[in-house]
Amino acid sequence: MVSRRCEYGIRASILIARESLKGNRINLRLISDKIGSPLGYTTKILQSLSNEGILLSRRGPKGGFEIAPEAMETINFHGIIMALDGGQIYSSCGLGLSECSEDHPCPIHEHFNLVRADLNAMVKKANLLQLAHGLINGKTFLNTSKKNTLIKDKKV
Amino acid sequence: MVSRRCEYGIRASILIARESLKGNRINLRLISDKIGSPLGYTTKILQSLSNEGILLSRRGPKGGFEIAPEAMETINFHGIIMALDGGQIYSSCGLGLSECSEDHPCPIHEHFNLVRADLNAMVKKANLLQLAHGLINGKTFLNTSKKNTLIKDKKV
DNA sequence: TCTATTTAGGACAAAAAAGTCTTTTATTAT
DNA sequence: ATAATAAAAGACTTTTTTGTCCTAAATAGA
Ligand code: SF4
Ligand code: SF4
């Protein structure tokens, strides 16, 4: 549904948001460790998010990444996906049926529109403040298994 | 959402179904032409679908691909996706948040469940008979632009 | 039987995505 | 100032996905 790049970006953002709410800045090593992503790859993803203004970064000792608490309500999945994958998910049909248009719809257009509407609603509804709070309250978890091992194991 | 491989497979299946309803067998060259997919790649996708019993193939002159009309109601997107991409779409979280479990959900689990439910409903509801009929009636279209040019152009 | 046609199958190549490594720049504390 | 720390940036490699090409096997029709 989204690229791995984007998956890491989402997980990292939620983690950084949580730490920022607790007043901490968190560095690359810790992030890649906690979310189970390759360090050298993560650095670029976080750079992209910084460049897009989603994260704040600070070099040097005591440096790391953070998110301004007042911005957290504005930053949602949609923004992160746009920053990392670019709008393809939205502009292209998820089923690859070439062209979208209301007066020339492909055979499954109606069905697919429902899914797309839900997806759009979700990515815009899910903001970082909410997600980070969920983590802090303990109601929800940010599972940090390395490299999706659990999911891959299922296949074997 | 699905791989390109799967996109081609879906488009091809709908086309073959339509032709089969009209009593025609359709060959590789025509298929790849109509759906705008590379011929040599398409051959393998159709082979996979044949091996999974989704398509019937016939070699030699007047050969080609077809789908038994009585099977069309049984063949849905779910089956095609499983045959070509394998169940990853279902087993892994579309947002890559590692682990799925009802008692240890990740922060956006509830939101995502809605999308997933819709998606599941769609891929199972969309069967080939229905889709092929849509094409024949002229109510819906199977857009055959080559290599998703329209979508890619939007980015430029 | 012979030839033309069409799928099957496998080896190979190119492109894209994911991941690694090394050097540079900024920041903090001594 | 200097040393240590951490992000920025870019070159490079590996893996996966996508795509190409060539040969073999099956089938229909002359
Ligand atoms: S018309 Fe609908 S189903 Fe068809 S390609 Fe466009 S969005 Fe997808
Ligand atoms: S708990 Fe829900 S949102 Fe989280 S990884 Fe699993 S399916 Fe995805």
Side-chain angles (χ1 to χ4, degrees):
Chain A
M1 188 162 288
V2 298
S3 68
R4 197 169 293 185
R5 177 183 163 76
C6 206
E7 297 183 2
Y8 294 151
I10 290 173
R11 290 201 242 168
S13 298
I14 296 173
L15 179 63
I16 295 165
R18 180 186 68 176
E19 290 305 313
S20 291
L21 282 181
K22 292 197 283 181
N24 303 327
R25 197 174 288 134
I26 181 170
N27 71 29
L28 178 62
R29 215 166 323 175
L30 266 167
I31 293 168
S32 91
D33 220 62
K34 290 263 186 187
I35 70 172
S37 65
L39 189 128
Y41 195 34
T42 312
T43 201
K44 305 197 171 167
I45 296 167
L46 297 182
Q47 271 170 45
S48 297
L49 291 174
S50 294
N51 291 338
E52 296 294 324
I54 290 169
L55 306 177
L56 299 172
S57 69
R58 179 90 151 258
R59 300 189 197 186
K62 300 274 175 187
F65 296 87
E66 63 187 304
I67 297 175
E70 61 273 18
M72 286 184 193
E73 217 160 358
T74 321
I75 303 168
N76 53 24
F77 277 43
H78 170 74
I80 297 171
I81 291 170
M82 287 296 281
L84 295 176
D85 279 356
Q88 302 132 310
I89 314 162
Y90 306 110
S91 65
S92 76
C93 169
L95 294 160
L97 288 155
S98 305
E99 191 177 338
C100 304
S101 104
E102 290 296 331
D103 46 316
H104 256 220
C106 87
I108 49 119
H109 182 69
E110 281 177 63
H111 298 275
F112 188 63
N113 255 359
L114 280 172
V115 178
R116 186 147 54 171
D118 271 14
L119 191 65
N120 275 356
M122 181 193 75
V123 296
K124 280 171 183 156
K125 201 173 173 185
N127 71 67
L128 285 184
L129 184 64
Q130 188 184 32
L131 294 169
H133 267 134
L135 277 182
I136 288 168
N137 296 344
K139 283 183 193 162
T140 51
F141 291 80
L142 181 63
N143 196 294
T144 57
S145 73
K146 298 225 169 176
K147 309 211 172 197
N148 299 326
T149 40
L150 196 123
I151 288 159
K152 284 193 176 166
D153 285 348
K154 273 181 189 170
K155 287 172 59 184
V156 180
Chain B
M1 189 163 288
V2 298
S3 68
R4 196 169 294 186
R5 176 183 164 76
C6 205
E7 297 183 2
Y8 294 150
I10 289 173
R11 290 201 242 170
S13 298
I14 296 173
L15 179 63
I16 296 165
R18 181 186 66 175
E19 290 304 313
S20 290
L21 282 181
K22 292 197 283 181
N24 304 326
R25 199 174 287 133
I26 180 169
N27 71 31
L28 178 63
R29 213 167 326 175
L30 266 167
I31 294 168
S32 91
D33 220 63
K34 290 262 187 188
I35 69 173
S37 66
L39 189 128
Y41 195 35
T42 312
T43 200
K44 306 202 169 164
I45 294 167
L46 297 182
Q47 271 171 47
S48 298
L49 291 174
S50 294
N51 291 338
E52 295 294 324
I54 289 168
L55 306 177
L56 300 172
S57 69
R58 179 92 148 256
R59 300 187 196 187
K62 299 276 174 186
F65 296 87
E66 63 187 304
I67 297 175
E70 62 274 17
M72 287 183 192
E73 218 160 358
T74 322
I75 303 168
N76 54 24
F77 278 43
H78 171 75
I80 297 171
I81 291 169
M82 288 297 280
L84 296 176
D85 280 356
Q88 302 133 310
I89 314 162
Y90 306 112
S91 66
S92 76
C93 168
L95 294 160
L97 288 154
S98 306
E99 192 177 338
C100 303
S101 107
E102 291 296 332
D103 47 314
H104 256 219
C106 88
I108 49 120
H109 182 69
E110 281 177 62
H111 298 277
F112 188 62
N113 256 359
L114 281 171
V115 178
R116 185 147 56 171
D118 271 14
L119 190 65
N120 276 355
M122 181 193 75
V123 295
K124 280 170 183 157
K125 201 173 174 185
N127 71 68
L128 285 184
L129 184 66
Q130 188 185 30
L131 294 169
H133 267 135
L135 277 183
I136 288 168
N137 296 343
K139 285 184 192 160
T140 51
F141 291 80
L142 180 63
N143 197 293
T144 57
S145 72
K146 299 225 168 176
K147 310 211 174 199
N148 298 327
T149 39
L150 195 124
I151 288 157
K152 283 192 176 166
D153 286 348
K154 274 181 187 169
K155 287 171 59 187
V156 180

